[in-house]
Amino acid sequence: MSDGTANGAHERTGLLSFTEDDDSRKIIDFTDWDEEDPRNWPKSRKLTNVGIIALMAVLSPLASSMFTPGIEQIAQDLNTSPSTVVGATTGFVVFLGIGPLILAPLSETFGRRNLYLICFSIFALLQIPTALSPNVETLISVRAISGFFGSVGIANGGGTISDMFHPSERAAIFGWYLLGPLLGPTLGPLLGGLFVQHLSWRWVFWFLTIICTVNTVLGFLFLKESYAPTILEGRKQKYEESEGGKFRIADQDDRPFWTRMGSSMQRPLRILFTQPIVLTMAIWQAILFGTTYSLYTNFEAIYGEGYYGFSTTQVGLMYLGPGLGFFISVWFLVPKIDTIYNYLSKKHNGEAKPEYRLPLANVGAVLIPMSLFWFAWTVEYKVHWTVTILSTVFFGIGQITVLNTAQNYYIDSFQKYAASAIAAGAVFRSIIGGIVPLFATPLFDQVGYGWGVSVFAFTSLALSPAPILFFYYGERLREAFAIDL
């Protein structure tokens, strides 16, 4: 890990591409204003890439929750219990977390574009056997496999944005991209409720087949490779063919292929388990996702016939509460991450540090436990539904600030290996997010929503001092636990 500079010069050397070194091979690198450098692309090309990968990052989490309004219908159709059907969500979300452990390092070996297109093509095709599932075993198995391939947008999106944008401008763009993994589970039940109520649960997956196929086609047409070593490798091959002689890429890893692959595959877990800050923030994100999926899978029980007596479509509208919080946060708060980062960098004579991303996380540290206690006890005492949903707006605001600051911290700390660092956080986030809901419903049944949701609130409260502690002591921790990736 290393510190940055406010303009991002530390991440991309601006040297002319032909110099000699000890092994006599000429070095190929980007020049300062190289048009092939993704940092120098036109804004329209950058935003096209962001749009395509953001849609991928929306669709896989959308698929994770879109069928939840149809759990009862699926159970009846496949002759099983609703709790067994919940396993289809668990399998999907768990593999959504495992996928980045493999797909992120692969993108740092083979490039981003090919991985996006191969994995998302498979993800789109797997929606067909899901729609045709004759039994719950098939449903759970195919969903788990599709979760793995669908994770490609989540695994590599942060790395792709890091490829194209300087640190001083990255957070605002990343905030809109990160809406995907959060809006997907939010919008899924709303859209799924419409299909379940007016068609059938199988149409949820036919819809996903269509929209995922469209996104994949757009990727084949418009998605550009953004990973600098892959682009430079193509340039290297052209020079060797046209000019003869031998060339190498700046900072090229000359180890044997399988040695490099082994190192790449170990990288996310090494980052996760050797970096205290990454591990702590990953646990915090995991608790947030576990809380989110636990609430989402119980919205039907809370707002349906059990408590508030809403229809399936009306219950789907309740998911818009946290969604509104996401938009408020991205629109008004997330751009301030860059503002604070640039201000603190300037204040310290242009020396930027990853910890300068963390101050805004304190907003989430306050809002998340507050909103969860609010939701827990207003639901417990059956206060008017508008009061309960208002709490989820603040939960959404807090969730976005924590996730955005954490992801930007990972990117600034690990630079070229940003995708692996984000994958390290994603694995905890998704596995816990998938498993916790299995235990949440029995917990709510046993102690009620008041104390049941308060368990999540107390847990998030315990982690709330993390941003301010890491702001002051993070640099010491990074230096004490520095690793060679």
Side-chain angles (χ1 to χ4, degrees):
M1 292 188 296
S2 62
D3 294 338
T5 59
N7 64 4
H10 69 292
E11 294 190 71
R12 195 68 57 77
T13 56
L15 303 174
L16 190 62
S17 303
F18 301 100
T19 58
E20 299 283 345
D21 77 343
D22 292 342
D23 65 7
S24 77
R25 292 181 296 174
K26 294 179 180 178
I27 299 174
I28 295 181
D29 199 357
F30 289 126
T31 55
D32 282 338
W33 301 107
D34 199 318
E35 292 184 357
E36 291 188 18
D37 184 347
R39 295 278 177 87
N40 296 329
W41 284 354
K43 190 173 183 179
S44 59
R45 186 185 301 176
K46 294 181 181 180
L47 293 181
T48 298
N49 260 27
V50 172
I52 293 170
I53 63 172
L55 189 54
M56 291 181 184
V58 169
L59 290 175
S60 49
L62 183 80
S64 74
S65 66
M66 194 172 174
F67 82 112
T68 53
I71 286 176
E72 295 285 346
Q73 190 182 103
I74 295 171
Q76 293 175 5
D77 193 21
L78 300 182
N79 297 314
T80 188
S81 66
S83 60
T84 302
V85 177
V86 172
T89 295
T90 298
F92 186 96
V93 175
V94 167
F95 276 85
L96 202 64
I98 292 174
L101 289 178
I102 298 172
L103 301 181
L106 286 178
S107 79
E108 294 164 351
T109 303
F110 298 106
R112 318 280 194 205
R113 184 178 185 272
N114 288 338
L115 211 64
Y116 281 128
L117 296 180
I118 292 170
C119 290
F120 217 73
S121 296
I122 296 172
F123 178 72
L125 290 172
L126 284 172
Q127 304 312 308
I128 298 173
T130 310
L132 298 173
S133 296
N135 51 56
V136 73
E137 292 82 6
T138 302
L139 178 69
I140 292 173
S141 301
V142 178
R143 288 267 297 168
I145 297 169
S146 67
F148 175 87
F149 288 103
S151 70
V152 67
I154 298 170
N156 297 316
T160 302
I161 291 172
S162 178
D163 295 339
M164 297 185 294
F165 294 93
H166 292 289
S168 59
E169 60 182 354
R170 183 188 299 140
I173 297 294
F174 194 79
W176 288 105
Y177 156 77
L178 195 60
L179 272 178
L182 295 170
L183 269 184
T186 301
L187 296 177
L190 173 60
L191 295 174
L194 296 174
F195 285 106
V196 169
Q197 189 166 354
H198 299 290
L199 294 168
S200 78
W201 67 269
R202 295 183 188 275
W203 267 99
V204 168
F205 298 103
W206 290 123
F207 169 77
L208 287 169
T209 302
I210 295 168
I211 194 168
C212 290
T213 300
V214 170
N215 190 37
T216 304
V217 171
L218 289 175
F220 274 101
L221 294 176
F222 301 111
L223 188 65
K224 305 297 182 185
E225 178 59 62
S226 66
Y227 192 51
T230 302
I231 297 171
L232 291 172
E233 178 64 29
R235 179 181 288 185
K236 169 177 168 283
Q237 293 175 4
K238 287 181 182 178
Y239 278 124
E240 288 180 343
E241 291 173 2
S242 63
E243 299 186 14
K246 292 293 183 180
F247 299 82
R248 73 177 178 89
I249 300 168
D251 300 322
Q252 179 174 313
D253 187 346
D254 289 321
R255 291 177 298 172
F257 173 78
W258 289 111
T259 303
R260 286 186 285 119
M261 280 297 298
S263 177
S264 295
M265 291 301 175
Q266 295 173 21
R267 191 178 297 128
L269 291 178
R270 287 183 64 208
I271 291 172
L272 179 63
F273 291 113
T274 64
Q275 305 300 302
I277 299 178
V278 174
L279 182 60
T280 303
M281 299 302 281
I283 291 171
W284 199 3
Q285 292 179 71
I287 291 168
L288 287 180
F289 268 65
T291 303
T292 300
Y293 279 101
S294 295
L295 294 181
Y296 284 1
T297 54
N298 282 277
F299 265 24
E300 184 70 37
I302 294 172
Y303 292 107
E305 295 181 3
Y307 265 56
Y308 289 95
F310 291 171
S311 68
T312 300
T313 302
Q314 289 173 323
V315 171
L317 292 172
M318 298 299 102
Y319 294 87
L320 295 180
L324 177 60
F326 298 157
F327 274 108
I328 291 172
S329 188
V330 168
W331 194 270
F332 294 105
L333 292 179
V334 168
K336 302 301 181 184
I337 297 176
D338 279 338
T339 303
I340 294 169
Y341 177 83
N342 293 330
Y343 168 77
L344 291 173
S345 300
K346 185 177 180 181
K347 183 179 178 181
H348 292 86
N349 300 316
E351 182 186 3
K353 298 177 182 179
E355 286 74 27
Y356 296 164
R357 297 291 187 186
L358 297 177
L360 208 64
N362 292 293
V363 175
V366 173
L367 290 182
I368 289 167
M370 180 199 78
S371 60
L372 288 175
F373 283 124
W374 176 353
F375 181 82
W377 294 103
T378 52
V379 167
E380 178 72 18
Y381 289 106
K382 299 184 181 179
V383 179
H384 194 271
W385 65 268
T386 55
V387 180
T388 67
I389 287 301
L390 185 59
S391 70
T392 68
V393 175
F394 287 96
F395 179 74
I397 294 172
Q399 193 173 10
I400 280 284
T401 58
V402 169
L403 292 177
N404 263 279
T405 52
Q407 304 280 54
N408 276 280
Y409 173 85
Y410 295 160
I411 292 172
D412 286 353
S413 295
F414 296 95
Q415 302 169 18
K416 189 169 90 169
Y417 301 117
S420 286
I422 292 172
V427 62
F428 247 43
R429 186 177 74 201
S430 295
I431 291 176
I432 299 299
I435 292 175
V436 168
L438 294 176
F439 303 97
T441 299
L443 174 67
F444 297 154
D445 290 341
Q446 185 173 358
V447 302
Y449 290 109
W451 286 113
V453 178
S454 290
V455 170
F456 295 98
F458 281 119
T459 307
S460 62
L461 185 62
L463 287 166
S464 60
I468 195 165
L469 291 175
F470 291 150
F471 179 79
Y472 287 107
Y473 303 107
E475 184 176 9
R476 296 183 199 175
L477 284 171
R478 286 189 293 110
E479 291 173 352
F481 293 90
I483 56 173
D484 183 10
L485 298 175

